[in-house]
Amino acid sequence: DQQVKQNSPSLSVQEGRISILNCDYTNSMFDYFLWYKKYPAEGPTFLISISSIKDKNEDGRFTVFLNKSAKHLSLHIVPSQPGDSAVYFCAALDRSNAGGTSYGKLTFGQGTILTVHP
Amino acid sequence: NAGVTQTPKFRILKIGQSMTLQCTQDMNHNYMYWYRQDPGMGLKLIYYSVGAGITDKGEVPNGYNVSRSTTEDFPLRLELAAPSQTSVYFCASRQGSSGYTFGSGTRLTVV
């Protein structure tokens, strides 16, 4: 039961253009969403997050959009740079159950490999 | 500022051998987690801990054991290694509503 899905295994973009990475979820209890970036031979690093009370969060070149009714979020990178080439993971959290059985466990999508060509 | 440190970075095990993956964090985080990442898959939670002396199973705990005797350390034990445990293992920690801090991973191959 994949509660967080990233249906595009890979994305290729030209430098300077926009990269859009998508993520869908099925669990309506998720109320906090995060994007992680992972380079080879390194652990995932936090990129940007969004609470379910918002529909947009921006941080420099990175913007995350949340559509709760569609249970969909997306990460926009503008402009894309070759250094952005990495695996991007979408993750979701049910913070209301932080003291219960979930204990703040992140549920991850499968990841999308982003390649930005010079 | 070391963050989360995992050792070893690489290991090859024979079927049936045992080993311990080490994880330590210096941020005084209460929550610690072990994930595994298989090719084309997201990270799957193996075990987690909400503080010293408290651990619980995640999604894929079979074949693993953990302990949390101190806040800093959260080792993951494989007792009888199997090929299905070939994976990349990530340890992470968290405090409050902050995001996770991940270690750099341990790449384990069981042959």
Side-chain angles (χ1 to χ4, degrees), chain B residues 7-20:
Chain B
T7 56
K9 292 190 181 301
F10 304 94
R11 183 72 186 268
I12 298 175
L13 275 184
K14 292 185 178 178
I15 294 172
Q17 285 186 319
S18 63
M19 77 164 293
T20 299

Side-chain angles (χ1 to χ4, degrees), chain A residues 37-44 85-87 113, chain B residues 10 37 88 90 104 107:
Chain A
K37 178 178 180 179
K38 184 185 177 304
Y39 292 117
E42 294 183 12
S85 297
V87 180
I113 302 170
Chain B
F10 304 94
Q37 184 197 3
V88 182
F90 290 101
S104 58
R107 183 174 295 275

Side-chain angles (χ1 to χ4, degrees), chain A residues 57-103:
Chain A
N57 189 27
E58 209 169 338
D59 184 2
R61 297 185 298 112
F62 302 92
T63 303
V64 56
F65 295 92
L66 175 63
N67 182 334
K68 279 192 297 182
S69 61
K71 293 190 176 67
H72 176 83
L73 63 155
S74 60
L75 174 68
H76 292 211
I77 307 173
V78 183
S80 301
Q81 300 173 353
D84 295 329
S85 297
V87 180
Y88 288 79
F89 289 100
C90 169
L93 185 62
D94 173 8
R95 291 186 297 179
S96 67
N97 201 16
T101 57
S102 77
Y103 283 97

Side-chain angles (χ1 to χ4, degrees), chain A residues 36 43 89 101 103-106 109, chain B residues 33 35 37 42 45 48 50 100 103:
Chain A
Y36 282 83
F89 289 100
T101 57
Y103 283 97
K105 297 177 294 184
L106 284 176
Chain B
Y33 307 82
Y35 284 86
Q37 184 197 3
L45 182 66
Y48 63 95
V50 301
Y100 284 30

Side-chain angles (χ1 to χ4, degrees), chain B:
Chain B
N1 54 342
V4 178
T5 302
Q6 290 183 239
T7 56
K9 292 190 181 301
F10 304 94
R11 183 72 186 268
I12 298 175
L13 275 184
K14 292 185 178 178
I15 294 172
Q17 285 186 319
S18 63
M19 77 164 293
T20 299
L21 283 67
Q22 302 290 346
C23 175
T24 187
Q25 51 96 3
D26 60 359
M27 298 170 286
N28 203 33
H29 285 176
N30 286 328
Y31 297 88
M32 294 189 76
Y33 307 82
W34 273 105
Y35 284 86
R36 60 178 283 174
Q37 184 197 3
D38 299 318
M41 305 290 288
L43 282 70
K44 299 288 187 186
L45 182 66
I46 306 171
Y47 268 95
Y48 63 95
S49 169
V50 301
I54 306 171
T55 63
D56 208 345
K57 296 177 180 179
E59 302 172 72
V60 290
N62 292 343
Y64 307 95
N65 276 300
V66 293
S67 60
R68 185 93 181 273
S69 57
T70 66
T71 299
E72 294 78 20
D73 300 306
F74 190 41
L76 177 71
R77 178 84 178 160
L78 283 71
E79 291 294 349
L80 291 169
S84 61
Q85 294 177 303
T86 294
S87 189
V88 182
Y89 292 83
F90 290 101
C91 178
S93 71
R94 179 178 74 87
Q95 185 71 14
S97 60
S98 68
Y100 284 30
T101 300
F102 282 88
S104 58
T106 295
R107 183 174 295 275
L108 176 67
T109 303
V110 182
V111 296

